[in-house]
Amino acid sequence: ACPKGDQAPVQQPAPAQILPRSNFSAGFLAMMAVVKYVDGLPLARFEKVMARHHVDIPRQSMARAMIKLAQALQPLHNLARDTLLEAPVIYMDETTVQVLKEPGRSPTAKSYMWVQRGGPPGRTAVLFDYDTSRSGKVPLRLLEGWQGYLMTDGYEGYAPVARLPGVEHLACAAHARRKFVEAKRSSPNGKSARADYALDLFARLYRIEAKVKDASDAQRFEARQTHSLPILQKLRAWLDETLPLVTPRSKLGEALGYLYKVWPRLIRYTERGDLPIDNNLLEGGAIKPFVIGRKGWLFSDTPAGAHASAVLYSLLQTAKANDREPYAWLRFVLERLPLAKTVDEIEALLPWNTHDQDLAMNLAAWE
């Protein structure tokens, strides 16, 4: 300002922040999110980690910051859903989550995270959505307007969406196999000739899939038609012969009944070379990290916290599915999202639109 007072002081505008008027930097917010949603460390433990370094940040402040952060990142979640619905095949599953302060519900009531994975080649989206219900209305809402192949387990809640025009339903072979593993474990001395027979046939099917894992869709289709179908025919003949001989309430009876129920959907993967045999890509890549994290943080305090977790799990798991290092990608996004003014500028921040060298240069600039 002019020393004589002829001009008012000029103040430099504050740099754009993902959380305006917050003391939390983009780097610290990215660290908090990755620590909880990738590494499975609850904020209560992270608070103690910070305290050992003489940094006092109450977990309540961190939790509020995570909710605000998820709200700021919601546009990326919306764009990732648009990409998901371009997929010819979508994997879907659900798992429980406890929310203590859900209006009108008991703190012990079960709520659900619905998880979906899919997208065009090179653009894999993994999306979590929180809902209090496990009814078939939820997948109807989440997949509205979509057509393609839907891979799920045998839960009947997916039946409404599977009946829509253009939706073809696949059943997970790993779930069917798992029932026979449980039957074998429950038998005396862990031995069951009948369960072993089914498990041997499933093993042969999976060996075929392992051999053609890196083959073209046409080669995989040929292998399934030539080698997998005869094994499935043998499994079906054994199923029809054995089902009437086993009590339905036994573990083996439950396994046989489940296989019989899902059979028409279980064999459909042989119709094409690009269809999956099971839902393991979703369960191992998205459901498992969530379940491991849930063992640490146990519950969400409010619905807002559960929705925030859904957004942050979605984006970080999507980053991993596209081979982006989660912390480097999220920090890159948090520094640039406040400057993005158009949909195209926001879309450029999605994991498949970023590059490793950009993320590395961004980190190096702060060292």
Side-chain angles (χ1 to χ4, degrees):
C2 176
K4 297 181 179 180
D6 296 335
Q7 183 179 346
V10 177
Q11 183 177 356
Q12 177 71 18
Q17 289 181 281
I18 191 71
L19 298 186
R21 297 181 296 279
S22 171
N23 289 329
F24 293 154
S25 67
F28 186 74
L29 289 168
M31 180 190 297
M32 275 200 296
V34 169
V35 159
K36 178 172 181 179
Y37 299 109
V38 176
D39 300 327
L41 188 70
L43 294 180
R45 296 182 196 169
F46 187 55
E47 177 186 24
K48 295 177 181 178
V49 172
M50 299 302 296
R52 287 203 303 269
H53 296 274
H54 309 291
V55 178
D56 182 21
I57 306 178
R59 70 193 73 171
Q60 294 85 354
S61 298
M62 290 190 280
R64 286 193 294 269
M66 288 295 97
I67 292 174
K68 293 178 180 178
L69 180 62
Q71 292 169 349
L73 291 169
Q74 186 65 53
L76 282 171
H77 189 276
N78 297 343
L79 291 172
R81 178 167 302 285
D82 293 342
T83 300
L84 174 82
L85 296 178
E86 296 177 26
V89 180
I90 289 181
Y91 303 76
M92 195 165 188
D93 202 357
E94 80 290 335
T95 188
T96 58
V97 63
Q98 186 179 0
V99 178
L100 299 184
K101 298 174 183 175
E102 184 75 56
R105 305 186 79 216
S106 166
T108 59
K110 288 183 180 179
S111 296
Y112 295 89
M113 281 289 185
W114 293 79
V115 191
Q116 312 113 75
R117 176 180 174 131
R123 294 187 290 154
T124 299
V126 181
L127 294 186
F128 288 70
D129 287 274
Y130 168 71
D131 203 287
T132 58
S133 172
R134 199 191 180 202
S135 79
K137 295 179 181 179
V138 180
L140 278 173
R141 171 175 59 83
L142 295 176
L143 300 180
E144 183 180 2
W146 174 77
Q147 294 184 346
Y149 285 86
L150 178 64
M151 167 59 78
T152 73
D153 58 19
Y155 173 51
E156 291 299 328
Y158 296 105
V161 71
R163 287 194 289 266
L164 293 176
V167 177
E168 306 292 340
H169 200 184
L170 307 175
C172 174
H175 277 82
R177 177 191 174 277
R178 200 173 301 152
K179 299 287 185 181
F180 289 99
V181 172
E182 295 170 359
K184 180 178 179 179
R185 288 174 179 169
S186 67
S187 61
N189 301 320
K191 296 180 179 180
S192 172
R194 285 171 170 164
D196 281 335
Y197 184 80
L199 290 172
D200 177 65
L201 293 179
F202 275 112
R204 290 167 62 183
L205 291 171
Y206 272 94
R207 281 196 292 270
I208 294 169
E209 293 301 306
K211 289 180 181 179
V212 297
K213 180 181 178 181
D214 298 321
S216 67
D217 290 344
Q219 292 170 326
R220 193 177 300 110
F221 172 72
E222 182 180 357
R224 289 171 173 179
Q225 291 291 304
T226 304
H227 303 294
S228 300
L229 278 180
I231 297 172
L232 287 166
Q233 291 167 358
K234 185 178 292 188
L235 181 59
R236 180 58 199 239
W238 173 82
L239 173 64
D240 292 338
E241 177 185 343
T242 309
L243 187 61
L245 306 178
V246 178
T247 174
R249 294 188 178 183
S250 66
K251 284 293 184 180
L252 181 59
E254 291 177 2
L256 291 165
Y258 183 88
L259 181 59
Y260 181 82
K261 181 183 73 170
V262 302
W263 183 265
R265 291 178 276 129
L266 183 140
I267 63 174
R268 294 205 62 187
Y269 80 96
T270 61
E271 295 176 3
R272 290 169 39 166
D274 61 337
L275 299 179
I277 187 175
D278 58 34
N279 210 15
N280 285 352
L281 193 61
L282 176 68
E283 290 197 6
I287 296 287
K288 185 177 180 180
F290 177 84
V291 171
I292 291 173
R294 186 180 60 197
K295 290 180 179 179
W297 47 259
L298 299 178
F299 54 81
S300 291
D301 189 49
T302 64
H307 285 294
S309 292
V311 171
L312 290 163
Y313 268 114
S314 297
L315 296 177
L316 290 167
Q317 292 300 326
T318 295
K320 289 174 59 180
N322 289 274
D323 297 323
R324 296 290 172 263
E325 200 286 314
Y327 172 77
W329 175 78
L330 185 58
R331 180 169 178 167
F332 180 84
V333 169
L334 298 187
E335 290 170 356
R336 283 159 177 75
L337 185 58
L339 306 176
K341 303 301 181 185
T342 67
V343 173
D344 288 344
E345 289 175 338
I346 297 173
E347 194 168 11
L349 300 176
L350 289 166
W352 47 82
N353 291 330
T354 60
H355 304 283
D356 288 339
Q357 57 268 32
D358 296 330
L359 306 187
M361 290 175 60
N362 186 67
L363 290 177
W366 286 91
E367 291 179 355

